[in-house]
Amino acid sequence: MFSDMSAGKPGSSLLCRPVSEDQAPVFERVSPAYNLCSERYTVGERSFSRQYAHIYATRLMQMRPLLSERAQQKWGSDVLIRKLCDLQTGEQCCIVGTLFKRMELQPSILKEISEEHNLLPQPARVKFISDTDELILEDELQRIKLEGNIHRDKCVTGSVVAVFGAEKNDGKFTVEDFCLADLPLQTPRPVLTSDRFVLLVSGLGLGSSNADSMLGLQLLVDMVTGQLGGEGEQSGAANISRVLLAGNLLSQNTQDKDAHTKPKFLTKKTQAGSVEAMRLLDELLHQLAASVPVDVMPGQFDPTNYTLPQQPLHRCMFPLASVFPTLTLASNPHQAHIHGVRFLGTSGQNVCDIQKYSSMEDHLEILEETLRLRHLAPTAPDTLGCYPFYQKDPFILEECPHVYFSGNAPEFGSKLITGADGQEVLLVCVPDFSSCQTACLVNLRTLTCEPLAFSAFSAHEEDESEMNVSH
Amino acid sequence: MDELYLDNIDEFVNDHDKIVTYKWLSLTLGVHVNTAKQMLYHYLDHKRKESSAPLHATYLVSGKFVDNGQTSHKVSVVKEDQLEDVKSRMSLVVSVHVYSVQKALLKDSGPLYGVDYDAVKDNLKNCSRYSAIRCASAVPRSSVELQQARPTQPAPAPEPEHKKSTTNGDATPASKPSTKPQKGIMGMFANKSALKNQDSGKEVKSEQKEDAPVVDEPKSKPAAKANPMMNFFSSQAAKKPDKTVKQEEAAPSSSSAEQQRPSSQPEETQAAAAAAAAVEPPKNSKKDSRSKTKRMEDSDSEEEKMDKKKRRRIKKPEPDSSDEDVIPDSPQQMETREASPSPKKKVESVSQSHGNCEMKTRKRRRVLKSRTFVDDEGCIVTEKGYESESYSEAEDDVQAPKHAAKDPLPAKQPASSKQDDKKSQKKASANSNKGTKQASIMGFFQKK
């Protein structure tokens, strides 16, 4: 634990007179072996003239062999794997395809603008599932309704699965069992001799009208840069080899909601809300980058493109911080090797989207589900915006990460899961800093994660313990 | 270690009524942060023993905290009276030190943030000099390295001028159709537009010249942005115009030695275009030969140097402001904006053939002015001549705001006046009236 490591420095209390000028120690920051794997998620020249059907086609094509193999492992190597067009009634077989969940409550632009329906715009809902949902399995040529032993509410559109069962007379497929692609293979991570930490933070929420979290943020920066704390803590902080900011650096308040509706000549003199916030961010990153390598991922409210994969924030927005070579502007999703440990994660949009369209509530559970599905964002492009890929689907996990995270979760969560082939993955839900004042510290040697909570005092706080608790 | 710091802290706390945090003290006195913390403690101790002056302190406590089975490392700033309480709740205390000392009792920790923010802001370059951790790789790159690191610093920057085969340097194909209708209107004002072209050509040329030194200033931001952004959008537009614009874009960001080349590039473009001044107003011998009056020529050549100097003063804040503006704009606008050459001066729109000439608000107009100078015989000569003068659509004063603080304002103006430009493109005829001091239709937009 970070605390244990930092505490073991007796006799160097700071509650004493300064002794001599040069007694102040300076620790060297550990420099990690860093390898950014960014080619996957960088979209070069973009053309939106393609339809989204291609991404589903390539997704199925890539995952079909994996699922066939899994199906044979699970139900025996002699199980029949059929295409939908070859299905025979009553025959027990296995089919592989993409799930589609037909939801009544799913917002549909066609319904909204259709005059014959006379529908008023739907109020914003938190969840779009209902009891009338139907699951349909699609393969390259046909589709078939599913019923039976499949968790309809937990499934989301876009996941590729293999189901085992038989087609009954009424044209529906009765599912007896199903299986997912499960975790891919993992290269074993190197054994580290000493503790190395990576700090994961998300949801800084700069530029919001509510500035309560600013002191917490300053404390975080001070701690990481080695200004805060006693010598023990500072030497511990020197072992933080990297800081990863996982999205939502700007607050939702910086999004001008009426930027689209208001005519330009009325908004001529008003500055975009994000300008000031970006300046704050630049100063913050300058402080951080001067002391520790930083990876910056964009999030839902950050000034970059909307569709996944979000491209890195542009260097020109950080005139102060970009002079440091320690600043890495990363894409969302982001993949990198730090000290040989493979990190993969997103800023949380994929998890939030699945949460809206399934009955799962816990971000950690959803994270595990995506890992088991072997797909980062199955709901893209259905309900989550994504670029129309056609050659390959970059969200399919090809190699198993060691640390799999998602940002902007409502609370901290971490779990170590193991795979069938001996994979070990640490799942981390990085909490939203602006509300929780908590960051995550991942120990690369032991592959554990620890929350790091910051707090200050305020006038209307009688009972400090409540506020200090890391949620 | 001498005790001077005690007096210093005393002065800060009592006389100036400041909240002295360890970070502020460390940056002000130039000492290591740990030393600053110890100094604060010593001061507190000393003062309390000495007199019962009302002094309050906040402490920083950090340690292991177990909550519902979940251990976490907690760092908190607490008031003095809560110190023991918080310490007792932690299962393992890692560090305790004085965070700040102030005269008044703080109810809220907000001011602490304010103090630290100001301290860091004033010392941004040194913010980690006094910290306890040094990172070997966090060395700011020099501007040379930054230039090299930029992804597409095109070698074509010094591309031969004759490469321009397109009639206009605008990268967007959409602008091409609009040249035709514009040309028709322009034919009517050929006289004035030609004059203006030359003038605006001059403007932009000197602008580009100025731009290079401006760009090469420590703030590499404008140039840095210009190139990658340009390249991103240029790939979507027609190829040749892209190269054209790319080269021009690259030009200002390259070293100032390249100044001549880039400026001559736009000249070619203009030369190729009939009278339609492209985004890069032309300026070469060809154009000179096309000048309507000999007088124009003379004054042009003489004016050049003076104009350059004059414009340099005015132009300086522009690149920053315009560049800032490019980012918040929508990609569509950015594309067309990037099509214009570096500091996008809004050339008189009559001569503009592109509906999308997203130039800046600053316009140039030819004004009949008297110039007094000493000629080579030592005589003072007063001569009337047309001179280019920059004025802004949105504001009537010619002087552009020079302070950085005012940058957002001009930055916004380009954004909005782009819209105005689009509208005004159609009313091209109105803009030709600069020389005659007639009330122009642009007055409609000027109030904004």
Side-chain angles (χ1 to χ4, degrees), chain B residues 332-404:
Chain B
Q332 168 60 32
Q333 287 179 326
M334 254 163 77
E335 185 175 357
T336 52
R337 199 204 188 104
E338 289 297 339
S340 355
S342 22
K344 298 60 176 175
K345 293 258 344 174
K346 213 165 45 184
V347 184
E348 281 317 310
S349 15
V350 179
S351 28
Q352 295 311 331
S353 40
H354 309 284
N356 314 346
C357 262
E358 313 293 355
M359 302 268 240
K360 301 203 319 213
T361 50
R362 313 219 58 76
K363 285 189 169 198
R364 310 217 76 111
R365 61 179 170 188
R366 298 188 76 86
V367 182
L368 197 61
K369 275 193 174 168
S370 306
R371 256 182 324 115
T372 309
F373 59 93
V374 181
D375 72 3
D376 40 349
E377 281 169 10
C379 308
I380 299 178
V381 179
T382 305
E383 204 177 45
K384 278 197 180 174
Y386 278 105
E387 271 193 11
S388 310
E389 189 186 85
S390 88
Y391 83 105
S392 161
E393 218 181 52
E395 56 203 27
D396 290 331
D397 46 319
V398 177
Q399 286 290 83
K402 296 213 178 135
H403 300 292

Side-chain angles (χ1 to χ4, degrees), chain A residues 53-65:
Chain A
H54 303 287
I55 192 176
Y56 283 117
T58 171
R59 190 183 292 179
L60 185 57
M61 198 169 69
Q62 280 182 267
M63 296 205 59
R64 185 180 271 280

Side-chain angles (χ1 to χ4, degrees), chain B residues 256-277:
Chain B
S256 40
E258 310 287 348
Q259 281 175 36
Q260 288 304 322
R261 297 305 239 352
S263 51
S264 49
Q265 280 171 4
E267 290 173 27
E268 274 301 332
T269 322
Q270 184 78 9

